[in-house]
Amino acid sequence: MKVLSIVGARPQFIKAAAVSRVLRAEPGVQEVLVHTGQHYDDNMSRVFFEELEIPEPDYHLGIGGGTHGQNTGRMLEAIERVLLKEQPDWVLVYGDTDSTLAGALAAVKLHIPVAHVEAGLRSFNRRMPEEINRVLTDHASDILFAPTETAVKNLRCEGIAEDKIYLVGDVMYDAALYYGAKAEVKSQLLKQLGLPPRGYILATVHRAENTDDPGRLRAILEALAEVHQEVPVVFPVHPRTRKRTEAFGLEGYLKKVLALEPVGYLDMVMLEKNACLIATDSGGVQKEAYFYRVPCVTLREETEWLELLESGWNRLASPRSKEAMMDAMIGCIGVQGNEVQLFGSGQAAQDIVTVILIRSHPKKVLKKIMRHPSNTKPR
């Protein structure tokens, strides 16, 4: 059986690392890895592949840096060529990026089954490009791997067939368990920066609705700069954010915080684990904050991870208001949420691979494994 996995951005590298490790250990399974190039900066791509021990991509399409329409269209064309050449049995896509949607569309138009990891997330804000990518990919997919009960409910409400939906937990939790210990041993960043555990706020900003809006970006940077006067703010600056900051004449604010170049995955894990608070607009970083039990402020009007709000580990702060963001950041330091297990048991990757095998060769696989992954099927 041949599975073609498509990745293009940092969160997808992390998710794919967990699933790829299981796929490649399975006899008779060949994985073909396609990197679209959506994150083309070395610190956003190559370093992650090395640290996550992901095999070198079989195809690197080198597509990134354009608008959403340009990226999606060019990726669609390039991925189609790869699919026609490789003729995979399944296409595996992750998350909600332009790479996700392009991979799903290219596959479904060629009648190749699509499996979507992290299906069913909804922010209910159709102005977000990621929301459109999620919805369209879910409705084009043959298997939908939902990370939470809320995601399952969202899919059911949209009329997606029950036999397509599997509740497996979150592969990023698998990765957090696997790589957390490695980061403790290998990362020296905290020592290099002289950062004490729980002595700083970690900030990340990259979403288009924040970086492409000069008013929002200014408010975010002003809030981070003022909070830095009370608690040090460590800010690894995404290439998109740095570019927009310079274009809007806001680069002076970066001198008022501890601004870093993008960091590798293991360094990022250490920054997350040891922060007293994380302020972010990233969906993946929101979850990682919870995995490491660090309070989080999400610099958005809404989030697709409603469970984190309900459990008290996350709080929304409008990026339109400097005061709202400052109050949330200072007010949430040291605040602990409820001790709940939201994202499975850390076996999501194994369950994903098992389901794909069963859907491909049901009689053969059922003889081999001890059980059907009944915990992965919504009840």
Side-chain angles (χ1 to χ4, degrees), residues 104-254:
L105 287 176
V108 76
K109 286 176 178 292
L110 293 173
H111 310 293
I112 300 171
V114 178
H116 184 201
V117 176
E118 204 176 72
L121 303 190
R122 297 292 182 269
S123 67
F124 302 102
N125 177 2
R126 290 295 182 96
R127 292 183 62 83
M128 290 177 60
E130 295 87 354
E131 184 79 351
I132 301 302
N133 292 342
R134 293 177 196 130
V135 173
L136 295 179
T137 300
D138 282 343
H139 284 267
S141 296
D142 298 88
I143 301 179
L144 298 101
F145 292 116
T148 65
E149 290 280 5
T150 300
V152 170
K153 291 175 184 176
N154 290 337
L155 295 172
R156 286 173 172 163
C157 287
E158 293 178 13
I160 290 176
E162 192 75 23
D163 64 354
K164 292 184 175 183
I165 305 170
Y166 289 82
L167 175 62
V168 294
D170 198 308
V171 292
M172 287 190 73
Y173 184 44
D174 296 23
L177 295 176
Y178 185 81
Y179 293 106
K182 288 180 178 289
E184 295 282 355
V185 174
K186 294 187 176 183
S187 175
Q188 300 297 314
L189 186 60
L190 295 186
K191 183 178 179 180
Q192 292 168 5
L193 296 176
L195 294 172
R198 306 300 179 189
Y200 61 90
I201 293 171
L202 174 65
T204 78
V205 179
H206 79 282
R207 286 191 180 269
E209 64 264 30
N210 285 336
T211 60
D212 293 355
D213 183 320
R216 285 191 178 208
L217 186 56
R218 178 185 291 275
I220 291 170
L221 295 174
E222 286 181 347
L224 295 177
E226 293 198 29
V227 168
H228 183 73
Q229 297 176 30
E230 298 187 43
V231 183
V233 174
V234 180
F235 185 18
V237 185
H238 190 285
R240 175 209 290 271
T241 308
R242 187 174 292 278
K243 182 178 179 181
R244 295 296 189 272
T245 299
E246 293 171 355
F248 298 145
L250 302 173
E251 61 267 37
Y253 287 106
L254 298 182

Side-chain angles (χ1 to χ4, degrees), residues 17-75:
V19 178
S20 180
R21 192 163 52 249
V22 179
L23 270 177
R24 291 174 184 249
E26 189 66 38
V29 175
Q30 177 190 0
E31 183 187 31
V32 177
L33 186 60
V34 177
H35 182 2
T36 65
Q38 186 169 333
H39 277 172
Y40 49 92
D41 180 274
D42 271 358
N43 285 337
M44 301 299 289
S45 181
R46 180 182 55 79
V47 171
F48 272 74
F49 271 73
E50 292 174 356
E51 292 187 341
L52 292 165
E53 301 166 331
I54 304 173
E56 191 69 21
D58 298 281
Y59 295 88
H60 196 305
L61 305 182
I63 299 170
T67 66
H68 287 288
Q70 289 170 337
N71 285 344
T72 306
R74 291 166 61 205
M75 289 174 190

